[in-house]
Amino acid sequence: MLVLLAWSALAPKPQPASPALPASPAAPSEKRQSVPLPQEIECEPAPEEVFSYQRDKTELTFIVPLAVLKEARFKDYQSYLFPLKQGFWLEDKGLVFRKASAPPGEVIFIYQDKEKEIIKRFIFSNSNYSMELEIETRNLSDSTISPSLPLVLGVLDFSGGQNQARFQDITAALKDKTLHLNGRKDMQLEGVQFIGIRDRYFCLIVEPSVESRAFIQKLNSHQAIIGLNIENHSLAPGSKDLQKFHIYLGPQDLQLINPIKSSWAQVVHYGTFDFIAHLLLQLLRVAYRLVHNWGLAIIILSLAIYFLLYPFTLKQMRSMKEMQALQPHIEELRKTYKDNPQKMNKEIMELYREHKVNPFGGCLPLILQMPIFFALYQALLRSVSLKGASFLWIRDLSEPDRLFLLPVSLPVLGNEINLLPIVMAVGMFLQQKMSLKSAGSGSAEQQRLMMIILPLMFGLIFYHMPAGLVLYWLVNSVLMLISQFKTSRAR
């Protein structure tokens, strides 16, 4: 049961799938076949083709010939890199843009041929994480044209290893529901209000000025593109069409997203127990305002959750104590009726009824606590506030605590010595040792085995986890150890 629970906590959570919605017959995405990414996405562009735009807290890197946003670097978060590879690419290999002069706060790219002129204008507001994109198409010919250029918002790359790839997903807000998708299946969506792409800490949110069709197109085993099909307008000679997009590109922080547009907060999603996770993060922020340190805030949150759930914990420990008191009688019944399993089970149940003991009394409190554990696990794992936050010797609560590094790499452990998981494993060992009872040879042998296996298993599970998560679990383990010590002395 413990192994299964641990696996449930660590394994990637399945994203809710949704059936592909058929596009209308006139939809541009119906006409086009699967288009491979241009060669520029697989190869690094030449230095002269790259242009960097500096903002107060963000550095944006553009590829000029494609007029695309290659990546964003966030200075306040240890220069965290959020790659888009082909952000805001108009899906046509024949378009070669040039960078045009622009007023302060804007970046402009222009493409022109005999038939049309396309102007891509990135407009940056006073907010460091929001901007506007305008795509203007002008008909320069003597006849009517019908430009149809799907806009690729970004590329999901699943080749970065399971630890990173599992954090990538897509949020699509439709008229009547919001979908959270993993991006590994081709899909078309009608009536999209906005669409979001995120990794572990940061996200891109794009809202077109009108409802649009969105698509997810798998390119190969490890890449998929996400985009919008710009509505097809027929342009008479000399006329123009203007498409506008409202954009957020920044941390998954509701305090930054909500002031821009509250509905975009749906991108910050923590899975099945999303509501509980948001509530716990709010409590964590309240604690941070009191102590101004995220490590201390996690300790305060751990204490608050422990005392909130203490009645259930107490009930669990009492149930375990009652069960241990009956172990000698149960062992005797097993010996007496070893050749008659049905009679043995009946006598054991009768023993439970006689002493008013519920054999599952210790399970219910654990079940009630599991939603909180899973929600807090997801919340702390994705919390951008922990990025770069220090506590005692820990330089970054979003990474393993790394007390010191070894000159050589050890199997499983690597080259880093992480103190928190080791202390946590020692605490679990002491807790298991306190609960060891000499109720019978078979039972005692099982408990001795678990006394060794459980601390090792959880120590390895938590060894490479972010220090913030391990700190929470360590505080919880210490509190459980104290409760176990009090219970043992009360016997």
Side-chain angles (χ1 to χ4, degrees):
M1 182 65 178
L2 287 168
V3 172
L4 290 175
L5 291 177
W7 173 252
S8 299
L10 294 173
K13 304 300 180 293
Q15 301 288 344
S18 87
L21 301 177
S24 62
S29 58
E30 288 277 332
K31 300 176 182 179
R32 67 188 183 95
Q33 301 297 320
S34 178
V35 180
L37 290 173
Q39 187 176 2
E40 288 86 350
I41 198 170
E42 301 296 344
C43 305
E44 283 295 318
E48 63 271 14
E49 296 179 342
V50 175
F51 164 71
S52 293
Y53 181 80
Q54 302 287 338
R55 304 183 72 186
D56 288 344
K57 298 182 179 181
T58 314
E59 178 185 352
L60 304 176
T61 301
F62 295 90
I63 301 176
V64 177
L66 299 175
V68 298
L69 180 58
K70 179 175 181 284
E71 60 194 23
R73 190 177 297 275
F74 299 95
K75 304 174 185 177
D76 286 356
Y77 298 90
Q78 300 178 314
S79 294
Y80 187 92
L81 189 66
F82 183 75
L84 292 171
K85 295 191 177 182
Q86 290 282 12
F88 311 106
W89 174 52
L90 289 171
E91 196 174 326
D92 188 336
K93 289 185 181 180
L95 301 181
V96 179
F97 287 83
R98 61 179 174 85
K99 183 179 177 295
S101 59
E106 294 187 18
V107 174
I108 298 175
F109 301 97
I110 297 177
Y111 167 80
Q112 184 175 323
D113 58 23
K114 296 180 180 180
E115 183 182 72
K116 61 185 178 293
E117 180 183 55
I118 300 176
I119 303 173
K120 292 179 71 173
R121 184 180 293 108
F122 294 87
I123 305 171
F124 305 100
S125 66
N126 293 329
S127 170
N128 283 297
Y129 301 113
S130 67
M131 59 184 180
E132 305 285 335
L133 170 62
E134 295 181 354
I135 301 178
E136 182 178 335
T137 305
R138 298 176 181 176
N139 186 355
L140 304 180
S141 68
D142 297 328
S143 58
T144 301
I145 63 173
S146 299
S148 174
L149 296 174
L151 180 67
V152 174
L153 305 180
V155 179
L156 290 185
D157 190 344
F158 303 107
S159 62
Q162 181 65 21
N163 190 40
Q164 182 60 29
R166 73 187 185 115
F167 293 110
Q168 298 179 122
D169 59 34
I170 302 165
T171 300
L174 309 183
K175 291 180 181 179
D176 55 349
K177 60 182 176 180
T178 300
L179 303 177
H180 298 280
L181 310 165
N182 60 23
R184 295 178 184 268
K185 293 183 179 179
D186 289 351
M187 192 172 295
Q188 297 181 35
L189 303 167
E190 296 280 357
V192 172
Q193 311 287 327
F194 68 84
I195 193 162
I197 307 170
R198 67 171 182 165
D199 64 2
R200 181 174 175 179
Y201 297 117
F202 291 83
C203 64
L204 168 70
I205 305 172
V206 180
E207 181 175 303
S209 56
V210 296
E211 289 183 4
S212 302
R213 301 181 184 93
F215 63 88
I216 302 171
Q217 181 181 329
K218 189 175 179 181
L219 301 173
N220 48 50
S221 60
H222 62 275
Q223 283 187 323
I225 56 174
I226 301 92
L228 296 169
N229 285 317
I230 300 176
E231 189 174 351
N232 188 6
H233 292 289
S234 295
L235 297 180
S239 64
K240 64 180 181 180
D241 176 65
L242 181 64
Q243 301 284 342
K244 294 184 178 182
F245 304 88
H246 191 21
I247 299 167
Y248 173 86
L249 178 58
Q252 294 182 53
D253 189 337
L254 295 183
Q255 292 187 327
L256 298 173
I257 297 175
N258 276 324
I260 301 174
K261 193 158 188 178
S262 58
S263 61
W264 290 354
Q266 299 173 85
V267 172
V268 185
H269 183 71
Y270 298 106
T272 305
F273 304 109
D274 181 65
F275 173 77
I276 300 176
H278 279 290
L279 180 61
L280 293 174
L281 280 178
Q282 291 298 320
L283 293 175
L284 185 63
R285 288 189 178 279
V286 170
Y288 176 76
R289 294 190 191 103
L290 294 175
V291 296
H292 303 288
N293 182 279
W294 287 108
L296 291 176
I298 291 173
I299 293 175
I300 292 174
L301 180 64
S302 303
L303 291 169
I305 293 175
Y306 176 80
F307 288 113
L308 179 66
L309 299 177
Y310 184 73
F312 301 109
T313 304
L314 188 61
K315 182 178 179 181
Q316 174 192 349
M317 289 185 173
R318 285 175 178 172
S319 177
M320 290 174 60
K321 184 178 178 181
E322 292 169 350
M323 287 293 295
Q324 287 176 343
L326 292 180
Q327 282 303 310
H329 302 287
I330 294 175
E331 289 293 332
E332 187 66 29
L333 290 174
R334 285 174 177 167
K335 292 178 181 178
T336 304
Y337 299 104
K338 62 180 180 180
D339 297 327
N340 191 345
Q342 293 182 345
K343 180 67 173 176
M344 179 185 67
N345 292 333
K346 183 178 179 180
E347 291 295 328
I348 290 176
M349 294 306 296
E350 186 63 34
L351 181 66
Y352 289 150
R353 280 193 292 267
E354 180 183 346
H355 291 270
K356 297 180 180 180
V357 173
N358 183 357
F360 302 104
C363 298
L364 181 59
L366 286 175
I367 293 173
L368 294 175
Q369 292 179 52
M370 290 317 295
I372 294 178
F373 172 76
F374 288 146
L376 190 63
Y377 170 82
Q378 286 292 328
L380 291 181
L381 200 62
R382 282 187 174 273
S383 176
V384 71
S385 300
L386 300 184
K387 185 68 179 171
S390 61
F391 178 64
L392 299 178
W393 74 90
I394 306 169
R395 297 184 181 88
D396 188 346
L397 286 168
S398 69
E399 299 290 337
D401 64 271
R402 297 190 180 103
L403 181 63
F404 59 87
L405 299 178
L406 299 172
V408 295
S409 183
L410 301 176
V412 181
L413 302 183
N415 68 333
E416 56 191 34
I417 297 299
N418 301 321
L419 181 60
L420 288 180
I422 296 174
V423 175
M424 183 196 72
V426 172
M428 289 189 69
F429 175 81
L430 294 176
Q431 183 182 348
Q432 291 293 316
K433 190 173 183 179
M434 284 183 186
S435 64
L436 183 62
K437 299 288 291 182
S438 56
S441 57
S443 176
E445 188 63 31
Q446 292 175 6
Q447 291 186 47
R448 290 191 186 96
L449 188 62
M450 294 303 291
M451 184 176 67
I452 298 173
I453 291 178
L454 276 181
L456 285 176
M457 183 183 73
F458 276 88
L460 292 175
I461 287 174
F462 280 88
Y463 196 78
H464 294 290
M465 278 193 179
L469 276 171
V470 186
L471 179 62
Y472 162 78
W473 193 259
L474 173 61
V475 174
N476 186 75
S477 298
V478 170
L479 293 171
M480 291 293 292
L481 179 62
I482 295 172
S483 298
Q484 187 71 36
F485 178 72
K486 290 182 177 180
T487 303
S488 299
R489 293 192 64 181
R491 288 170 184 168

